[in-house]
Amino acid sequence: MEWVWPWLATLGEALLQLLIQPFYYMAVILIALIYHRQLLQERKLFHVRMQSSITQTIRAVLGGIVIGVLVSMISLFLGTYLTLGSIISIWIAALVLSLIRIRYLCFAYAAGALGILQFALNVASNWQPVGILGQAVDTVRALDMPALLVLAALLHFGEAVLARMQGVSMASPFLMEGKRGKLVGGYQMQLFWAIPLLILVPTTGGITELAWTPLFHTGQSYTLMALPILLGLSENTQSMLPGRKLQLSAKRSMLYSLALLVFSLLAVWWSPLTVIAALVAFAGHELLVWYSALEEQQLSPAFVHPQHGLKVLSVIPDSPAAELGIEAGETLYKVNGVLVHSPEELHRALRMNPAFCKLEVRNHQGESKFMQRAIYEGEHHQLGVIMAPDKHEGWAVQPRAVTLFHVMTLKLFTRRKEQRTDEAPLALPPAPVASDKGSVEM
């Protein structure tokens, strides 16, 4: 048990290092900006705040801590280690890639890109620049890519678990033009987590032995170093409920991470497979994104109004609709006994009885469920229901690649509907009320 106290002391130093270094806090701030940008987009499209950016950020931080602890324990057991050069290379690669797309700010993309770059530099072994460039080339050539890719596989398995557990609560409704130019509703899932990782780093004068036999072993002494990692998953869906979309995405991400883990472990014993594992890390992730987009194009939009009734795109948290149990994807069929086909008809039906409402809602299976509730002063004029788009919506999201620069500047890609640029979005006044029960924040 002599090894316990040195490891506890090293663990304490690593945790202290995590608390005082700026990179983890930079990752948290970036996540907060991403969710604040999402909040601004919701206000632009729907004139209401669906989720608090502070709450979303806290969820991301707590989820990241849980996965960070689990992945750190597994990587320590395997003996996965990184050099200081590896850590610097990962951060630089991730930041450069994020200038192209914000979803590239991800460990798998950075590790895959470094693996491909290392292969290219090894092929051009006669090329040896001097100065800072020469030092950078030597650092990339010396990277232990199998260990780096094993760590990427573990992190992305954790990402899939987090997406399945937290993704629905972080999904944001949006509007965009469909294939025929008509507005359709959907969900945008920008999921990011700051992972506080503790990793082995070979050093002199550190812990001279491990209490177990690891898969990776350099024969040197080790220390623990804090390595903040930013994981992210970006998905859009117009054809499915966010829970179903995330279930599929999480399943595919798990299969992807398992494939990456297998190739990375095989590369430990046979180094030529390293470049294959690197291609799986980068191209495999892109394949998932491409397949998801292709799947969306082939399926019909789910959030469009049926022939009778109004399709529910989303429900404002803590609103009357949320209390009644109305869910996204259901159809608001009758209000106070009146069949509704537009927001105007919904408003008129609610005014028929300003103190009370009775609803008939068609669930996802087409079955009717009946609800009733009193109406109180200050509540949302549609009971907190965000409807699928109709002719009154004035703003839509433009499909564009979001970069780190766009997040830092909080730039939104929205535009007015071309066919109704002279009109503002419909804003119905609240109906008369019977009593007071607070309000829903707008």
Side-chain angles (χ1 to χ4, degrees):
M1 296 294 290
E2 295 180 358
W3 58 272
V4 174
W5 294 112
W7 272 106
L8 288 177
T10 303
L11 177 61
E13 292 175 3
L15 291 175
L16 180 62
Q17 182 187 70
L18 177 67
L19 292 175
I20 63 177
Q21 67 167 262
F23 298 108
Y24 180 70
Y25 300 105
M26 290 169 60
V28 173
I29 291 172
L30 181 59
I31 290 173
L33 287 174
I34 289 171
Y35 288 123
H36 184 64
R37 182 178 178 274
Q38 178 175 288
L39 182 148
L40 294 177
Q41 180 175 284
E42 291 171 352
R43 286 187 180 276
K44 188 72 170 288
L45 297 175
F46 306 111
H47 312 286
V48 68
R49 183 187 73 174
M50 299 297 297
Q51 295 281 355
S52 165
S53 57
I54 296 177
T55 302
Q56 301 287 60
T57 303
I58 292 174
R59 285 174 182 161
V61 169
L62 294 179
I65 291 174
V66 173
I67 294 300
V69 171
L70 294 177
V71 173
S72 295
M73 293 173 62
I74 296 173
S75 64
L76 288 176
F77 177 76
L78 293 176
T80 306
Y81 67 92
L82 298 179
T83 63
L84 183 60
S86 301
I87 295 173
I88 295 173
S89 299
I90 281 291
W91 270 97
I92 292 176
L95 288 173
V96 170
L97 289 171
S98 69
L99 296 176
I100 303 173
R101 289 177 183 266
I102 190 61
R103 64 182 176 86
Y104 288 163
L105 189 62
C106 195
F107 196 91
Y109 284 114
L114 288 172
I116 296 170
L117 179 61
Q118 184 190 67
F119 175 77
L121 291 175
N122 288 338
V123 170
S125 57
N126 294 329
W127 182 61
Q128 185 57 55
V130 296
I132 297 178
L133 179 59
Q135 294 176 2
V137 168
D138 290 339
T139 298
V140 174
R141 283 174 173 161
L143 294 176
D144 188 338
M145 286 309 306
L148 203 59
L149 293 167
V150 165
L151 188 58
L154 295 176
L155 285 168
H156 278 269
F157 192 89
E159 175 192 286
V161 173
L162 283 174
R164 190 69 183 91
M165 294 176 60
Q166 292 187 332
V168 174
S169 63
M170 301 167 116
S172 175
F174 76 116
L175 306 176
M176 68 177 296
E177 283 192 2
K179 290 180 287 187
R180 299 180 180 179
K182 183 180 179 181
L183 280 188
V184 296
Y187 275 85
Q188 191 175 55
M189 288 151 280
Q190 299 283 348
L191 311 177
F192 289 88
W193 299 275
I195 310 295
L197 201 63
L198 298 181
I199 197 73
L200 288 173
V201 175
T203 186
T204 57
I207 298 174
T208 56
E209 62 176 342
L210 301 177
W212 56 92
T213 302
L215 175 65
F216 300 91
H217 185 57
T218 63
Q220 303 181 40
S221 58
Y222 300 93
T223 188
L224 282 176
M225 180 173 287
L227 176 61
I229 294 293
L230 192 64
L231 286 184
L233 176 68
S234 180
E235 286 279 13
N236 291 337
T237 182
Q238 305 166 43
S239 61
M240 307 178 196
L241 292 170
R244 175 59 179 165
K245 183 68 174 181
L246 286 167
Q247 183 181 19
L248 289 174
S249 297
K251 181 180 178 180
R252 293 164 184 168
S253 293
M254 287 180 180
L255 293 175
Y256 157 79
S257 59
L258 289 175
L260 177 57
L261 181 62
V262 169
F263 279 102
S264 302
L265 291 175
L266 290 175
V268 176
W269 289 284
W270 195 45
S271 58
L273 283 175
T274 301
V275 67
I276 304 298
L279 287 171
V280 170
F282 197 102
H285 209 291
E286 280 297 283
L287 180 62
L288 291 179
V289 175
W290 171 82
Y291 184 78
S292 177
L294 178 64
E295 185 178 53
E296 288 296 322
Q297 291 177 3
Q298 293 178 341
L299 296 175
S300 300
F303 300 99
V304 293
H305 294 302
Q307 184 177 1
H308 300 292
L310 295 171
K311 180 71 74 173
V312 176
L313 173 60
S314 185
V315 174
I316 300 173
D318 302 319
S319 66
E323 293 178 10
L324 286 168
I326 299 175
E327 299 178 0
E330 295 184 331
T331 300
L332 198 60
Y333 191 66
K334 288 184 179 180
V335 177
N336 289 328
V338 177
L339 184 63
V340 292
H341 299 90
S342 67
E344 297 94 333
E345 291 183 5
L346 170 61
H347 181 64
R348 286 194 293 268
L350 286 172
R351 289 176 63 90
M352 292 175 60
N353 189 347
F356 200 81
C357 68
K358 294 182 179 180
L359 308 176
E360 181 182 345
V361 177
R362 298 285 175 87
N363 63 16
H364 302 131
Q365 292 75 37
E367 301 171 347
S368 293
K369 56 182 185 179
F370 299 91
M371 309 169 179
Q372 57 184 12
R373 185 186 184 277
I375 301 177
Y376 299 97
E377 184 177 359
E379 291 183 333
H380 192 270
H381 66 275
Q382 290 182 172
L383 302 177
V385 174
I386 304 298
M387 298 298 178
D390 64 2
K391 61 183 179 180
H392 296 289
E393 269 68 30
W395 293 94
V397 172
Q398 290 180 283
R400 284 191 57 181
V402 178
T403 68
L404 180 61
F405 174 77
H406 298 141
V407 173
M408 298 294 290
T409 57
L410 299 177
K411 181 176 177 60
L412 300 177
F413 296 117
T414 57
R415 67 180 180 85
R416 291 189 65 85
K417 264 175 52 176
E418 294 180 359
Q419 62 267 36
R420 297 184 66 85
T421 54
D422 59 331
E423 294 185 21
L426 179 67
L428 294 174
V433 293
S435 57
D436 186 7
K437 193 190 173 185
S439 63
V440 178
E441 183 172 355
M442 298 292 290

